[in-house]
Amino acid sequence: MSGREAILNRLRVALREGKDDATREQAVQARIAAAPRGVVPMRGRLPDDDRVTLFCAMAQKVSATVERVGSSANVPGAVAAYLRQRNLPARVRMGADARLGAMPWNTEPSLEIDSGRAQDEDLAGVSHAIAGIAETGTVVLHSGQDNPTTVNFLPEHHLVVVRAKDIVGDLETVFDQVRQTFGKGHMPRTLNFITGPSRSADIEQTLLLGAHGPRALHVIVVDGD
Amino acid sequence: MEIRSPAFKENARAALDDPQLRHALEHVKSGFIVKRAMAAEALPEFEKLRDSSKAIKDETLANLDKYLEAYETKVTESGGHVHWAESAADARDIILKICQSVGARTVTKGKSMISEEIELNDFLEGNGVQPVETDLGEYIIQLRGEHPSHIIAPAVHLARSQVEADFRRVHTHLPVDRDLTEPVTLLSEARKVLRAKYFQADVGITGANFLVAETGTSVIVTNEGNGDLTQILPKVHIVLASIEKIVPTLSDLSQVLRVLARSATGQDMSVYTTLSTGPRRAGDPDGPEQYHVVLLDNGRSSMIGTEFQEMLRCIRCGACMNHCPVYHAVGGHTYGWVYPGPMGSVLTPSLIGVDKAGHLPNASTFCGRCEAVCPVRIPLPKMMRHWREREFSRRLNPATQRYGLKAWAFFARRPRLYRLATSIGIPVLSLFGGRGRFKSLPLAGGWTRHRDMPAPEGRTFMQEWKQREAQKQGARI
């Protein structure tokens, strides 16, 4: 008997007591199909403006920096200014995301853009989030042809663009959108929920930023468009 | 790892005599408790979310075979492979075979307690594959040849100066005169050393905080980002997870995530919550080419249908040990195996046998703080009591203890005699304990060695109770 059969058989025998296998199978399939919502905190259920404000406050609370721009046309300028203010070279790593691609990067002629997956030596990376979550100040990103996951983790500075209209109240709303985009039961290879910059408290429980992932997380919220 | 649980008492004595450890454990007492309380307080729905999480895990366990099959179907659909391991040895063999199939020489690892449970590192090393722990705490204890002393803060027993000494001993390629006095310099050094390892590794092994049946997804929760670099840079990603990690759907995942980080570190959400489904897709610029899940049983399926089934709700947040006065006093290594604290005291006897781990369920004051903070409301004290009963009925505890209990039972079953004996004994103790505390007592050296025994104030509990009731009666009239 294979390990699979042995484990499943043991479980089956132990669980059969109450209901028969077929009834349980049906109930399980129905529960997965219905995916009932549990307790959703009221915290994120706010009018649009307040929700964006809460998102920004929660992100700052976990040591992200946040800036709001009026339109996606302002993003290249905001990225260049971020690098200048921190004395970083005018160079970013970026995937081939269509939303980022449509922005007027030529307004920043001195800014060099490296495309493709991130490299070890990259200092700054720019990504576009599919959503922000107000209840925790989290940005949500997924992998795909245009979105290398390495950009989220290798550079020292991670700049994430999120549209204000994509900022939702809670986790459940993001999962509903993912189900809609990819089809129920299907997922992108990687779905990243990122809440602040990388950190560790493993040495004497002292909290330090910049463990293995980015030392800084900068969120650019695009209000217009 | 070597099972040292039978030596719990000796381990505890050594721990209590270790001033450095006592100092380090202060961090557990102060930090974690306050942070959890603040996070719980800040979310009005927290208690309801605990109920919800408990119900989700109960539902999953009641149909675990079905959810595992549903999960497996989805993993396979997304191009991943599921391997079933009945025992630690099976899991080790499966993982080694995968490593060998790609000629792996270096393996990076995210934090996984199950990897400790199956003693994976020694096994891989013995077979020519170098495992590298990437979580900062795990990396430090790997350098020291130690095991985690806490399930979410593996190096909590160490001082900064010890870490500095280890880094100087191992990182010999770096300048000898470098300054490592600040914790942040240690962090930066580890970051640099481990970066190179991520790129060298052929296989990345992570644990899983949850597995989602709806989508065939594995979920890891970290603050450092090490788990992510471990799983996206190498060619192969292996997820090592035990069978009870399943939750039915993404909606259920939302519930348990809300209680996990708050209970563990007091964060609303950990920095990186990452959902992985299958290998990289066509056209993806990065991600692993192979995705394997090793589902470990190792004794868990035998807990289903017993009085210990509820223990499988555990989501490994560490809140029970953070709040445990016994853990605070003796630290994690004293428990002598992988899982310390109250959850370890219940789980360890299930996995390695109560004959070896019998001291663990006895190492409790039954104060109930563990159950009060458990995000999935596991009745830990009740389950420790079950183990004590089993130990007693299988005659595993020492004869003196058994005779003591029998003697006590003799009196307890004869209330008048019991009251007479205590009404003589208590005033006697009170007489000798003039200053209110005993520094030593015959037959109670185990107690008085590390703390004073409070002296009774003169009367028995029953006498006090009687008087209070009489006063209440009087007040009512």
Side-chain angles (χ1 to χ4, degrees):
Chain A
M1 190 160 46
S2 73
R4 180 183 188 278
E5 286 318 303
I7 295 169
L8 289 175
N9 273 341
R10 254 197 310 276
L11 293 173
R12 231 167 264 144
V13 170
L15 293 170
R16 198 173 273 158
E17 298 270 308
K19 295 171 193 154
D20 66 274
D21 274 3
T23 316
R24 290 197 301 116
E25 173 73 25
Q26 245 176 11
V28 162
Q29 289 304 332
R31 196 177 185 293
I32 291 175
R37 278 188 176 208
V39 179
V40 182
M42 289 299 290
R43 187 192 276 179
R45 291 191 220 169
L46 294 166
D48 293 354
D49 286 352
D50 296 349
R51 198 167 60 236
V52 176
T53 308
L54 175 65
F55 167 80
C56 296
M58 294 305 285
Q60 282 165 334
K61 205 175 115 184
V62 291
S63 308
T65 49
V66 181
E67 119 176 65
R68 295 177 73 159
V69 297
S71 123
S72 61
N74 304 127
V75 171
V79 170
Y82 176 91
L83 299 175
R84 262 197 315 276
Q85 282 156 16
R86 284 158 185 82
N87 288 321
L88 294 165
R91 186 168 195 160
V92 291
R93 171 70 58 181
M94 208 161 88
D97 186 278
R99 292 157 299 187
L100 290 175
M103 292 171 187
W105 296 95
N106 54 7
T107 57
E108 296 297 330
S110 63
L111 185 65
E112 279 183 73
I113 298 175
D114 300 313
S115 54
R117 60 180 285 169
Q119 304 298 321
D120 188 21
E121 56 280 1
D122 290 342
L123 286 176
V126 180
S127 312
H128 202 296
I130 55 163
I133 305 177
E135 66 166 317
T136 48
T138 303
V139 286
V140 187
L141 303 106
H142 68 71
S143 61
Q145 297 190 11
D146 305 332
N147 288 286
T149 303
T150 39
V151 176
N152 304 343
F153 293 96
L154 285 173
E156 298 217 348
H157 296 258
H158 187 207
L159 292 81
V160 179
V161 182
V162 60
R163 294 186 293 210
K165 65 178 180 194
D166 293 335
I167 293 173
V168 300
D170 42 66
L171 272 168
E172 280 82 348
T173 310
V174 173
F175 285 133
D176 282 348
Q177 288 175 359
V178 169
R179 287 182 184 121
Q180 241 175 13
T181 309
F182 295 90
K184 171 101 168 66
H186 298 279
M187 294 283 278
R189 150 66 200 170
T190 307
L191 189 63
N192 291 121
F193 292 79
I194 300 178
T195 314
S198 160
R199 65 198 61 196
S200 175
D202 273 346
I203 301 174
E204 292 192 343
Q205 301 303 293
T206 312
L207 185 68
L208 302 167
L209 295 185
H212 295 279
R215 294 174 201 270
L217 177 71
H218 186 63
V219 182
I220 302 173
V221 179
V222 180
D223 278 303
D225 304 340
Chain B
M1 63 194 266
E2 188 202 346
I3 296 172
R4 297 186 57 248
S5 306
F8 180 89
K9 289 187 175 178
E10 293 76 26
N11 302 344
R13 209 160 290 143
L16 288 165
D17 286 336
D18 180 347
Q20 186 278 318
L21 177 67
R22 312 221 52 69
H23 178 73
L25 287 168
E26 287 298 317
H27 295 301
V28 178
K29 251 194 260 186
S30 51
F32 284 120
I33 294 178
V34 176
K35 286 179 200 151
R36 178 204 169 271
M38 282 168 61
E41 176 74 30
L43 189 70
E45 295 89 351
F46 187 70
E47 293 304 314
K48 278 191 198 154
L49 282 160
R50 289 175 66 189
D51 295 334
S52 170
S53 300
K54 171 189 182 292
I56 287 164
K57 293 298 279 187
D58 280 342
E59 155 66 20
T60 314
L61 293 173
N63 296 293
L64 189 55
D65 53 337
K66 302 296 173 195
Y67 282 113
L68 282 165
E69 286 174 301
Y71 166 77
E72 180 188 37
T73 304
K74 290 310 258 185
V75 176
T76 311
E77 248 179 59
S78 60
H81 304 276
V82 176
H83 311 262
W84 301 71
E86 271 197 276
S87 66
D90 290 353
R92 289 192 297 256
D93 288 340
I94 292 164
I95 292 170
L96 180 64
K97 273 203 187 109
I98 298 170
C99 291
Q100 286 171 339
S101 74
V102 292
R105 298 176 63 181
T106 307
V107 168
T108 41
K109 292 181 66 211
K111 186 166 164 33
S112 158
M113 291 309 294
I114 294 168
S115 151
E116 296 286 337
E117 186 181 322
I118 68 168
E119 299 170 86
L120 184 60
N121 286 0
D122 286 349
F123 179 76
L124 288 178
E125 235 175 306
N127 284 279
V129 181
Q130 180 59 43
V132 180
E133 295 289 349
T134 61
D135 171 87
L136 179 61
E138 292 281 348
Y139 177 66
I140 292 166
I141 58 169
Q142 188 184 22
L143 296 184
R144 301 173 63 82
E146 290 183 355
H147 296 282
S149 68
H150 188 290
I151 62 171
I152 68 159
V156 75
H157 58 288
L158 297 173
R160 188 210 57 80
S161 57
Q162 291 171 292
V163 179
E164 177 180 345
D166 291 321
F167 278 20
R168 289 193 186 282
R169 176 172 57 79
V170 178
H171 301 158
T172 47
H173 62 292
L174 296 171
V176 181
D177 58 351
R178 66 193 190 280
D179 184 5
L180 288 176
T181 43
E182 290 302 316
V184 71
T185 54
L186 294 167
L187 180 70
S188 300
E189 184 164 313
R191 177 186 170 107
K192 215 167 178 181
V193 170
L194 287 167
R195 262 301 163 94
K197 300 287 183 189
Y198 293 122
F199 285 93
Q200 274 171 28
D202 310 287
V203 174
I205 303 176
T206 67
N209 292 89
F210 303 103
L211 304 171
V212 186
E214 177 187 357
T215 50
T217 298
S218 57
V219 184
I220 58 167
V221 174
T222 80
N223 279 321
E224 298 185 5
N226 64 306
D228 289 278
L229 289 169
T230 297
Q231 66 175 40
I232 55 177
L233 291 173
K235 288 193 289 279
V236 179
H237 176 197
I238 303 177
V239 179
L240 174 59
S242 48
I243 53 172
E244 83 281 16
K245 294 284 172 187
I246 298 260
V247 293
T249 68
L250 296 170
S251 314
D252 299 313
L253 177 66
S254 311
Q255 303 291 295
V256 286
L257 283 175
R258 287 199 182 96
V259 295
L260 174 60
R262 287 183 175 91
S263 301
T265 54
Q267 290 167 286
D268 285 352
M269 183 111 170
S270 301
V271 178
Y272 301 111
T273 299
T274 300
L275 282 64
S276 304
T277 314
R280 74 157 81 174
R281 309 291 159 80
D284 279 2
D286 50 23
E289 289 156 23
Q290 290 181 35
Y291 177 76
H292 298 269
V293 183
V294 180
L295 287 175
L296 177 74
D297 181 345
N298 208 25
R300 288 165 176 80
S301 59
S302 306
M303 293 165 70
I304 296 282
T306 73
E307 64 261 60
F308 299 107
Q309 174 168 328
E310 289 182 282
M311 187 60 222
L312 297 175
R313 285 204 298 265
C314 177
I315 57 173
R316 305 288 192 271
C317 68
C320 59
M321 57 199 77
N322 291 341
H323 290 75
C324 177
V326 176
Y327 181 95
H328 291 164
V330 299
H333 286 154
T334 296
Y335 292 80
W337 199 56
V338 180
Y339 303 102
M343 57 82 57
S345 296
V346 175
L347 187 62
T348 305
S350 294
L351 299 184
I352 66 172
V354 70
D355 52 327
K356 296 193 193 75
H359 287 312
L360 272 49
N362 283 294
S364 167
T365 62
F366 283 166
C367 72
R369 284 170 91 188
C370 51
E371 184 177 359
V373 295
C374 175
V376 286
R377 304 196 191 282
I378 299 171
L380 290 157
K382 184 180 96 183
M383 293 166 115
M384 284 185 245
R385 215 169 281 133
H386 286 325
W387 278 126
R388 290 187 189 185
E389 282 159 18
R390 281 206 187 181
E391 193 193 29
F392 190 84
S393 63
R394 287 176 56 188
R395 301 173 166 273
L396 290 170
N397 44 354
T400 45
Q401 204 181 86
R402 302 175 63 79
Y403 291 134
L405 276 171
K406 276 193 177 142
W408 180 81
F410 175 84
F411 285 101
R413 288 200 193 100
R414 294 164 177 81
R416 295 171 75 114
L417 192 59
Y418 184 92
R419 259 171 265 166
L420 179 69
T422 50
S423 67
I424 295 169
I426 295 294
V428 170
L429 275 176
S430 170
L431 197 67
F432 284 101
R435 286 181 303 276
R437 313 193 77 77
F438 291 104
K439 289 216 177 300
S440 65
L441 263 182
L443 302 175
W447 176 286
T448 55
R449 185 178 153 91
H450 294 284
R451 57 234 190 279
D452 292 348
M453 172 87 176
E457 290 194 359
R459 292 173 350 137
T460 67
F461 173 81
M462 297 294 278
Q463 289 165 341
E464 289 279 334
W465 183 259
K466 229 178 190 169
Q467 190 189 355
R468 281 179 52 159
E469 289 301 297
Q471 275 169 356
K472 266 197 226 161
Q473 287 290 338
R476 260 179 233 141
I477 297 161

